[in-house]
Amino acid sequence: MDKPHGKNVLFSQVKIDDAFWSPRIAVNRQVTLAHEYEMCRTTGRLDAFKLDWKPGMEPVPHIFWDSDVAKWVEAASYALAAHPDPELEQRLDEVTALIASAQQADGYLNTHFTAVEPDKRFTNLRDWHELYCAGHLIEAGVAHAEATGKRTLLDAVCRYADLLTRVFGTGDGQLPGYPGHEEIELALVKLYHATGQRRYLELSRYFIDQRGRQPHYFELESARRGETARGDYSYCQAHLPVRQQETVTGHAVRAMYLYAGMADIARETGDQEMAAACERLWNHLTLKQMYLTGGIGASRSNEGFLDDYDLPDDTAYCETCAGIGLIFWARRMLQLGCDRRYADVLERALYNNVLAGSSLDGRSFFYDNPLASYGTKKDSQGRLTGETRHVQRSEWFGCACCPPNYASLVNSLGDFLYTVYGDNRAAVHLYIGGEASLTIGNRQVMVRQQTRYPWDGQVTIQVTPDKPAAFQLALRIPGWCQACRLQVNGQDVADAQESGGYRLVARIWHAGDQDVLTLEMPVRRIYAHPSVRACQNKVAIQRGPLVYCAEQSDQSVPVRHLYLPEDAAFQASFEPELLGGLVAITGDARVAIPADSLYGPASQTESCPIRLIPYYAWNNRQPGDMRVWLPVAR
Amino acid sequence: MDKPHGKNVLFSQVKIDDAFWSPRIAVNRQVTLAHEYEMCRTTGRLDAFKLDWKPGMEPVPHIFWDSDVAKWVEAASYALAAHPDPELEQRLDEVTALIASAQQADGYLNTHFTAVEPDKRFTNLRDWHELYCAGHLIEAGVAHAEATGKRTLLDAVCRYADLLTRVFGTGDGQLPGYPGHEEIELALVKLYHATGQRRYLELSRYFIDQRGRQPHYFELESARRGETARGDYSYCQAHLPVRQQETVTGHAVRAMYLYAGMADIARETGDQEMAAACERLWNHLTLKQMYLTGGIGASRSNEGFLDDYDLPDDTAYCETCAGIGLIFWARRMLQLGCDRRYADVLERALYNNVLAGSSLDGRSFFYDNPLASYGTKKDSQGRLTGETRHVQRSEWFGCACCPPNYASLVNSLGDFLYTVYGDNRAAVHLYIGGEASLTIGNRQVMVRQQTRYPWDGQVTIQVTPDKPAAFQLALRIPGWCQACRLQVNGQDVADAQESGGYRLVARIWHAGDQDVLTLEMPVRRIYAHPSVRACQNKVAIQRGPLVYCAEQSDQSVPVRHLYLPEDAAFQASFEPELLGGLVAITGDARVAIPADSLYGPASQTESCPIRLIPYYAWNNRQPGDMRVWLPVAR
């Protein structure tokens, strides 16, 4: 490699102390984790690890249940690492021991294929989520060991991963397969980091590079099952070897996990061709397939991508897990290069699509995150049923991937703030209050952020090296920001070099040096590319990283009749009592006067007030219409 | 009843001789009917009537196959009535004899429930289309007898209907049921007219009035099958007794057939309450649930209605059969009252939604008729798959209701032109060239229309009574027409009374009297009610009764980037070589210049030409994008 890859600063080195995030993390730790544990317990997901299921018993341990418990372990481990909690630690001890107790003598660890269909082990990698579950177990084992120093689960998943290294591969007697639902690729890289065992990295690389090769493994294995092959594997990104893939396809969550794994491999092995494939896919996703909220995967039918620019608002699927996967991928792209394109998308997905995934009280969750809600009910296939029902969060899901994934993300938020490049540059990607301990070259540097972000664009960054240290502090100037001001120790810095959208402050840092970055944060009108048909003649409102929406609770007229003039002024003001405290945007809008007939002359409009709230905060009051994209008033 | 109901003038009294319609009827007669016969033959639909199916044989006669053959018989009979054709008559003789040969000793006539599931007869009226098939057989029997005087099929369906009068009803030992898929109601009224047997009218009234009563028949019969009841029967309009229904619900084709039957009963029995129910449903449909093309039933999932004003363009289902059913209903509403609201909708559905149902060459058909096509493929459930494929007509369908229904309509088009009210008024609803023989009071009156409609708004109507006769000729002034001129025998008539949107020419008519009605037909911009979210900030173009669209073949820029200014002038000119000859509309539009990013400032636009064609004519060239509703240029 001709340039050093960035080293991610892990959440364990970062202490969040932030007016916006700390209360959210606390709610998740104090409410959500307990709720999710109860859900795993009462639905039978925990008991499944007892392996005492017998034919005829209900419920039948489902092929993806293990992953839900594993994600809870991972999330709870992150929470525990940040906040010692003997009760939670004991619960984790019990759960990890229970999981480990289900391991078979050869290392295999999967409740469904041990208790329910023992003869089906590794016979349908395409559909049965077996390696996906393994991946989440591995992540859980790594997280638990890092949080507690206890190796119960880590040792178990190492034994399981060792079994996988024997079973899978292109050698004699091995299965030349790979998962239909990716995830284990990035998990194995974590396991490599946790253990130093390069065979786990090699297995990850094998899974990624074997994918989509001919003869096609999913054809071979469906023939062995006596089934007709499906023929098209773009749904699971196995239609081509990954290095040849140019467009994001299929199931969005799977895609994100794969691309994150590809970026890991590109970084760990210095594989430029793999990095180039990541870059191509990134550009395709972010220039043609991404919602304004950072949501991805427009369609419920494949939980994934539609045609380019086909981004309908009210049927937008935008699974929470896909947004989280995008954040995972973006963080890894930032390690491949310090470019704000990645951090802008990471921030967009985090503050909008993903943050909407949980209610403010931490007790209910969105699986899909549409950009409009009109009270039209969809059935389990996402088909409009003609019945009226507003979209609302749910306490749990049969396929419960999103809630614990959200908990993992929020409790490891520190993972996404900083990257250290080489021995002389530290980049700040996200402006979130707290302290981080960075290793830059041979110096230890404390970086302390203070900010009211995202409500206010002023960020104070105090830098405290253990000894005076020369390095560049790279401060991201977000893509949404048109004007900013940078002061170092009270002096304006107008001539700082810029690179990839980061302002580089290069100096010898001394304890107590202080940068003040002020990002102007006006209310902005956003328009979509004209090929996005759903957004033609529509406008959205963004302030800072937050996308806003009109929710019925805030309006005096029907949301569906609201039009937004192109020239009206907006006022942004912090409302401490509204939805936990937020900056609401008010202004003058137009409301259409309903016509007498269904078709006729253009409707007249009249003036009306409008109040917009951040998209993440919608559906925390009575259900009602919601809209991110509003028609422009003519 | 306090006013006489209109008597419909049947197609047999009307000879179409029209520049627009005659070639279409000829193509249907000469190409489509033969094609459809072949399809019925090769798919096994005809052979099913041999009743020689045995378990294990493929194909299995489907529960709705009989209806496809019956509709072909009906359509071919109409064609034969208008154009003697010994070959077609012989084919009809064979097919009707074959159908009649499948009748059981007790009168029962259904291939599936005779050959495949004989123990299931009348055990699932809700789902199994048994009475729907019976209805179509009855219509076929009536049409065949009227066309040929031969009673083979008519006698058979009378015996079948007689069986139904014994099986169904609220008497001891009878099933208090009714069809899940309506159709037989209007068919039985036809049978009543063909035979004079009032018991058929009574059975129709029974089916309609029994519908939705408690205890609910579909609950009783599902309990007998050992199944859990569904609970909500709005899908098949059986959620309430029909007199209490206020909104159109569920499957659109079923709804139209029911409402047509309700209007029949209101008329035949002078039932004002039933007429009021029809009027309520009509208003709901046409004010909140109808596409600009007259297409109805927005959703593929239920083949029916969504929420009010929920009329998406690219996923519009708008089944051809639903548009045809709407035409049937509108004709019957016109018999309840001479009001152009009904005829306007009839014309809208006929010239747009329904006419699009067949290719110009008569060999392929639309089942659903979206108002936009973007090359996004949908699967069999209507779910977007993310694969690119433009919407195109098909040669046939597994569920093949639409092609023969279209053939029936086109070959009986004369049915929809005239109604005689009482003994002194004849109304002209549609302006289509040809001759009609009307009985007005005790006079026989020939009415001859000459026109280039819909390309030109001038209609010459020659009235020739057998003796001088005093009556009102009611000429519809279409709702789309803002200005018109009426001349009688060369003299302007400015003071003619108007009633319900009809200009009443009251005089003593002499042979050779001639009206010339000139309807101004400018290009008009149409906007939707502001609650139609899919059409906000969009405009459609209509000229006369025809809705226009932008198809890719006619444009120099991508259809999806076209915007239509609110003030640009249009030119309408007849292009004889284009798609069989049509009036195309050209003008100046704007095309958006694609942006570099997915989200950012508003796109710039630049001037470009646009050419629009009538919606009915789309998809007769290479597949490409199509759009009825175009965004307004800002």
Side-chain angles (χ1 to χ4, degrees), chain A residues 323-340:
Chain A
I324 292 171
L326 176 56
I327 289 171
F328 293 163
W329 185 24
R331 197 209 76 185
R332 287 160 174 83
M333 293 304 284
L334 282 169
Q335 291 178 259
L336 292 179
C338 185
D339 191 319
R340 79 166 170 210

Side-chain angles (χ1 to χ4, degrees), chain A residues 232 285-292 299 301-302 305-311 314 348 374-376 379 381 383-388 525-533 536-538 560-561 563 566 592-603 627 629 631-634, chain B residues 232 285-292 299 301-302 305-311 314 348 374-376 379 381 383-388 525-533 536-538 560-561 563 566 592-603 627 629 631-634:
Chain A
D232 177 13
L285 177 75
T286 57
L287 293 176
K288 297 185 177 173
Q289 289 280 359
M290 182 180 70
Y291 282 91
L292 184 63
S299 167
S301 84
N302 62 348
F305 302 105
L306 291 174
D307 284 353
D308 288 350
Y309 302 111
D310 200 355
L311 299 166
D314 55 345
R348 184 187 291 282
Y374 296 112
T376 300
D379 67 13
Q381 302 300 314
R383 298 174 295 201
L384 298 164
T385 63
E387 294 164 61
T388 296
R525 286 179 168 78
I526 308 287
Y527 301 85
H529 187 285
S531 292
V532 182
R533 301 182 310 272
Q536 287 176 332
N537 280 352
K538 296 207 183 91
R560 60 185 72 188
H561 291 169
Y563 287 68
E566 295 201 80
I593 302 166
D596 294 334
S597 60
L598 191 47
Y599 302 105
S603 296
R627 201 165 194 179
W629 290 100
V632 173
R634 291 201 303 274
Chain B
D232 178 13
L285 177 74
T286 57
L287 293 176
K288 297 184 178 175
Q289 288 280 0
M290 184 180 70
Y291 282 91
L292 184 64
S299 168
S301 83
N302 62 349
F305 301 107
L306 290 174
D307 283 353
D308 288 350
Y309 301 113
D310 201 354
L311 299 166
D314 56 344
R348 185 186 290 281
Y374 295 113
T376 301
D379 68 14
Q381 303 299 316
R383 296 173 296 199
L384 298 163
T385 62
E387 294 164 60
T388 296
R525 287 179 168 79
I526 308 287
Y527 301 85
H529 188 285
S531 292
V532 182
R533 300 182 310 271
Q536 288 178 330
N537 280 352
K538 296 207 183 93
R560 60 185 73 189
H561 292 169
Y563 287 68
E566 296 201 79
I593 302 166
D596 294 333
S597 61
L598 191 47
Y599 302 106
S603 296
R627 199 166 196 178
W629 290 99
V632 173
R634 289 202 302 273

Side-chain angles (χ1 to χ4, degrees), chain B residues 188-423:
Chain B
L188 285 165
V189 176
K190 285 189 177 179
L191 190 61
Y192 159 57
H193 284 289
T195 63
Q197 298 300 323
R198 197 164 174 92
R199 62 180 178 277
Y200 302 135
L201 180 67
E202 292 302 331
L203 182 60
S204 172
R205 179 158 70 171
Y206 157 79
F207 279 143
I208 288 172
D209 259 335
Q210 182 65 11
R211 191 167 206 86
R213 287 192 193 275
Q214 297 295 342
H216 203 284
Y217 184 75
F218 294 159
E219 309 249 319
L220 301 176
E221 77 167 7
S222 58
R224 277 199 296 271
R225 294 193 306 273
E227 294 169 11
T228 309
R230 193 170 291 159
D232 178 13
Y233 301 102
S234 58
Y235 171 73
C236 50
Q237 302 79 42
H239 52 302
L240 283 173
V242 299
R243 292 163 193 275
Q244 296 171 29
Q245 295 187 22
E246 305 215 331
T247 57
V248 301
T249 66
H251 188 277
V253 177
R254 300 179 194 222
M256 293 306 107
Y257 289 152
L258 171 64
Y259 308 150
M262 287 166 62
D264 275 341
I265 293 300
R267 181 189 69 245
E268 295 293 335
T269 68
D271 186 332
Q272 292 283 26
E273 191 186 34
M274 189 71 85
C278 290
E279 183 68 16
R280 277 198 310 274
L281 292 165
W282 180 270
N283 285 333
H284 179 247
L285 177 74
T286 57
L287 293 176
K288 297 184 178 175
Q289 288 280 0
M290 184 180 70
Y291 282 91
L292 184 64
T293 55
I296 58 170
S299 168
R300 182 181 298 258
S301 83
N302 62 349
E303 300 194 304
F305 301 107
L306 290 174
D307 283 353
D308 288 350
Y309 301 113
D310 201 354
L311 299 166
D313 61 352
D314 56 344
T315 56
Y317 195 62
C318 294
E319 182 179 340
T320 306
C321 280
I324 292 170
L326 176 56
I327 289 171
F328 292 164
W329 184 23
R331 198 210 76 186
R332 286 160 174 84
M333 294 304 285
L334 282 168
Q335 291 179 258
L336 292 179
C338 185
D339 190 318
R340 79 167 170 208
R341 290 182 301 128
Y342 311 130
D344 281 351
V345 167
L346 193 163
E347 184 180 70
R348 185 186 290 281
L350 176 64
Y351 280 90
N352 301 289
N353 172 254
V354 171
L355 195 52
S358 171
S359 62
L360 296 177
D361 68 8
R363 293 181 199 278
S364 61
F365 310 93
F366 275 136
Y367 194 104
D368 46 318
N369 295 274
L371 276 75
S373 172
Y374 295 113
T376 301
K377 187 176 176 185
K378 297 163 198 148
D379 68 14
S380 61
Q381 303 299 316
R383 296 173 296 199
L384 298 163
T385 62
E387 294 164 60
T388 296
R389 191 210 65 165
H390 277 92
V391 173
Q392 293 191 65
R393 292 184 183 84
S394 298
E395 288 207 338
W396 195 244
F397 305 94
C399 175
C401 47
C402 296
N405 222 359
Y406 177 86
S408 280
L409 180 82
V410 167
N411 286 295
S412 63
L413 184 64
D415 264 3
F416 304 92
L417 274 56
Y418 303 98
T419 307
V420 175
Y421 296 89
D423 57 6

Side-chain angles (χ1 to χ4, degrees), chain A residues 36-347:
Chain A
E36 292 177 357
Y37 175 84
E38 273 308 296
M39 287 293 165
C40 284
R41 193 180 64 80
T42 56
T43 57
R45 282 166 165 80
L46 285 174
D47 282 346
F49 285 96
K50 295 179 181 165
L51 301 180
D52 56 1
W53 182 87
K54 294 283 175 302
M57 284 168 63
E58 289 290 344
V60 183
H62 193 277
I63 52 168
F64 53 58
W65 273 9
D66 293 359
S67 69
D68 297 331
V69 176
K71 278 194 267 195
W72 180 84
V73 169
E74 185 190 352
S77 297
Y78 295 150
L80 184 64
H83 292 266
D85 176 342
E87 204 173 322
L88 182 60
E89 183 162 2
Q90 191 189 335
R91 181 169 279 178
L92 272 168
D93 286 348
E94 291 164 11
V95 174
T96 50
L98 177 64
I99 295 173
S101 76
Q103 187 158 42
Q104 302 299 292
D106 63 354
Y108 189 72
L109 181 43
N110 181 301
T111 60
H112 179 88
F113 291 101
T114 302
V116 183
E117 301 188 285
D119 56 325
K120 298 277 177 65
R121 191 200 274 197
F122 299 137
T123 58
N124 187 341
L125 298 182
R126 187 187 69 191
D127 301 329
W128 288 347
H129 293 60
E130 210 168 355
L131 292 172
Y132 166 82
C133 286
H136 277 302
L137 285 170
I138 290 168
E139 284 199 277
V142 170
H144 183 243
E146 283 178 358
T148 64
K150 297 172 186 173
R151 296 187 56 100
T152 328
L153 189 54
L154 180 62
D155 286 343
V157 300
C158 284
R159 284 193 296 274
Y160 191 11
D162 291 339
L163 170 68
L164 300 179
T165 62
R166 295 191 299 273
V167 170
F168 293 102
T170 52
D172 282 351
Q174 288 185 305
L175 295 175
Y178 44 85
H181 195 316
E182 306 92 320
E183 206 284 332
I184 196 170
E185 298 84 351
L186 70 89
L188 286 165
V189 176
K190 284 189 178 181
L191 191 60
Y192 159 58
H193 285 289
T195 63
Q197 298 298 324
R198 198 165 172 91
R199 63 181 178 276
Y200 302 135
L201 179 69
E202 291 302 330
L203 182 61
S204 173
R205 179 158 70 173
Y206 156 79
F207 279 142
I208 288 172
D209 258 335
Q210 181 66 9
R211 191 166 206 88
R213 289 192 190 276
Q214 296 295 341
H216 203 285
Y217 184 75
F218 294 159
E219 309 248 320
L220 301 176
E221 92 175 347
S222 58
R224 277 199 296 269
R225 294 193 307 272
E227 294 168 11
T228 309
R230 192 170 290 158
D232 177 13
Y233 301 101
S234 58
Y235 170 73
C236 49
Q237 303 81 42
H239 51 302
L240 283 173
V242 298
R243 291 163 194 276
Q244 296 171 30
Q245 296 188 22
E246 306 215 330
T247 58
V248 301
T249 66
H251 189 277
V253 177
R254 299 179 194 222
M256 292 307 106
Y257 289 152
L258 170 64
Y259 308 150
M262 288 166 62
D264 274 340
I265 294 301
R267 181 190 67 244
E268 296 292 335
T269 67
D271 186 332
Q272 293 282 23
E273 191 186 35
M274 189 70 84
C278 289
E279 183 68 18
R280 278 197 311 273
L281 293 165
W282 180 270
N283 286 334
H284 179 248
L285 177 75
T286 57
L287 293 176
K288 297 185 177 173
Q289 289 280 359
M290 182 180 70
Y291 282 91
L292 184 63
T293 54
I296 57 169
S299 167
R300 183 181 298 258
S301 84
N302 62 348
E303 299 193 304
F305 302 105
L306 291 174
D307 284 353
D308 288 350
Y309 302 111
D310 200 355
L311 299 166
D313 61 350
D314 55 345
T315 56
Y317 194 61
C318 294
E319 183 179 340
T320 306
C321 280
I324 292 171
L326 176 56
I327 289 171
F328 293 163
W329 185 24
R331 197 209 76 185
R332 287 160 174 83
M333 293 304 284
L334 282 169
Q335 291 178 259
L336 292 179
C338 185
D339 191 319
R340 79 166 170 210
R341 291 182 301 127
Y342 311 130
D344 281 351
V345 166
L346 193 163
E347 183 181 69

Side-chain angles (χ1 to χ4, degrees), chain A residues 437-452:
Chain A
S437 169
L438 313 186
T439 303
I440 306 171
N442 54 2
R443 295 269 73 82
Q444 283 304 113
V445 182
M446 286 296 293
V447 173
R448 180 181 169 80
Q449 291 194 50
Q450 280 181 294
T451 183
R452 291 186 66 248

Side-chain angles (χ1 to χ4, degrees), chain A residues 32 35-45 59-60 62 64-69 71 132 300 303 317-322 324 353-354 356-359 362-370 378-380 389-407 618-619:
Chain A
T32 307
H35 168 79
E36 292 177 357
Y37 175 84
E38 273 308 296
M39 287 293 165
C40 284
R41 193 180 64 80
T42 56
T43 57
R45 282 166 165 80
V60 183
H62 193 277
F64 53 58
W65 273 9
D66 293 359
S67 69
D68 297 331
V69 176
K71 278 194 267 195
Y132 166 82
R300 183 181 298 258
E303 299 193 304
Y317 194 61
C318 294
E319 183 179 340
T320 306
C321 280
I324 292 171
N353 171 255
V354 171
S358 170
S359 62
R363 293 180 199 281
S364 61
F365 311 93
F366 275 137
Y367 194 104
D368 46 318
N369 295 275
K378 298 163 200 150
D379 67 13
S380 61
R389 192 212 62 164
H390 279 94
V391 174
Q392 294 190 64
R393 292 184 183 85
S394 299
E395 288 208 336
W396 194 244
F397 306 94
C399 175
C401 47
C402 296
N405 222 359
Y406 177 86
W618 88 280
N619 190 236

